[in-house]
Amino acid sequence: MLSRWARFVAGSYPPLPSVAFAFLWAYGVSGLFAVVQPAHPAWHPGPGTLTAALTLTVTLLLMRAVDDIRDLAYDRAFSPGRPLASGAVRERDLLVLCAAGAVLVLALNAGRPAALAVLAGQLAYCALVLAADRVLGWPPGDRLLLSLLVSFPAQLLLHVYLYTRYLGDTGQGAGRGGVLAIVITVLVTVHLEFAKKITRRLEPGERSYVSTLGLGGTVAVALAAPVLSVLLLVTQARPEALLVPLALLPLLLPARAGWRFFRARAPRWPAASAGYYVLSTFACYLALGLAHG
């Protein structure tokens, strides 16, 4: 089973980019919490931030396993090389992986009751979504907007988990700043979700928001989300004036991708650009948090 898990990780959760994403998410969003809090002690990453990063690394792996199980039929048609679709790993292997991973992340957070409760809720919700898919076949995979709404709480709870860890590390109480930071971060991930599915010509049976929103509507959402995210950061969180250019810098990536998509009439939006945008934004949040402290 360990060898099959290794094949799954290599094919569906490449270690280097996946771990980098999880760590930048944990450290970057924690830095953003430091920026938006109205009054706080100086923030620096510590053992709690490392625990949060390790937790996200494992939890995102488990979410990838759940998504691969839910998307098995679709992947057999459109991504037959993925580990589960190709038979390199079995569904039972992934279910055992999810159970073992859940025990691990809960043990990592055993000393923080609030964070532990949020994390347990997040894992339970993922299990509920998987059960609804396997037992009821709901939501249908081709209804992307509905699937997005159903899956969204799992991501939202991870942001709440990071906030509870941040509050525990700094000894602060919850406030509107935390909500603002979560909204800002969600908008960043909206760009990734929509941009990676932008295509001018849908293959038969392909899942894309273009089939529901049209090409223009999908591009509009993908570009509006990062702009709104920065506007909220600059106008509501109000980072120090000298740091505002740093907050604006990641916008160059979706702007450049959009320009190339329309100028060169590329068949698809460059998915790598959307990923780099998220990574660079989280890195900027970390820099803002360290500078703000």
Side-chain angles (χ1 to χ4, degrees), residues 44-280:
H44 298 286
T49 319
L50 177 60
T51 299
L54 292 172
T55 297
L56 254 63
T57 300
V58 177
T59 304
L60 292 175
L61 170 62
L62 307 187
M63 292 172 67
R64 180 68 268 164
V66 168
D67 285 346
D68 275 18
I69 293 173
R70 293 176 63 200
D71 293 340
L72 178 56
Y74 182 79
D75 285 342
R76 281 173 173 163
F78 289 91
S79 302
R82 294 184 71 87
L84 185 58
S86 67
V89 66
R90 299 177 298 192
E91 184 175 321
R92 181 184 174 188
D93 299 328
L94 298 186
L95 293 175
V96 175
L97 175 65
C98 288
V103 171
L104 175 59
V105 295
L106 291 174
L108 279 174
N109 292 272
R112 294 289 177 82
L116 182 64
V118 174
L119 187 59
Q122 195 271 347
L123 293 169
Y125 185 82
C126 288
L128 180 63
V129 170
L130 180 58
D133 176 81
R134 306 311 287 167
V135 176
L136 304 175
W138 187 89
D142 56 351
R143 297 186 61 183
L144 275 187
L145 288 176
L146 177 61
S147 294
L148 177 62
L149 290 175
V150 170
S151 301
F152 174 69
Q155 182 191 108
L156 179 63
L157 285 169
L158 286 183
H159 294 310
V160 176
Y161 161 75
L162 288 178
Y163 190 43
T164 58
R165 292 266 2 172
Y166 170 81
L167 295 177
D169 291 342
T170 58
Q172 298 181 69
R176 65 175 293 275
V179 176
L180 174 62
I182 290 173
V183 171
I184 289 171
T185 309
V186 166
L187 287 169
V188 170
T189 59
V190 164
H191 172 76
L192 176 62
E193 172 65 25
F194 280 76
K196 67 183 182 181
K197 292 181 172 67
I198 294 175
T199 178
R200 292 186 185 277
R201 179 176 298 177
L202 288 168
E203 299 292 334
E206 182 180 1
R207 296 173 184 172
S208 171
Y209 297 108
V210 172
S211 61
T212 303
L213 302 178
L215 178 61
T218 306
V219 171
V221 173
L223 292 179
V227 172
L228 181 56
S229 177
V230 168
L231 286 176
L232 288 174
L233 176 60
V234 173
T235 61
Q236 300 300 313
R238 296 190 180 94
E240 297 174 21
L242 291 177
L243 299 177
V244 169
L246 181 60
L248 296 173
L249 193 59
L251 284 179
L252 293 176
L253 287 169
R256 180 173 180 268
W259 174 260
R260 294 183 63 184
F261 179 73
F262 286 106
R263 173 82 178 223
R265 296 196 62 80
R268 294 181 179 272
W269 192 277
S273 175
Y276 290 141
Y277 160 72
V278 174
L279 291 175
S280 63

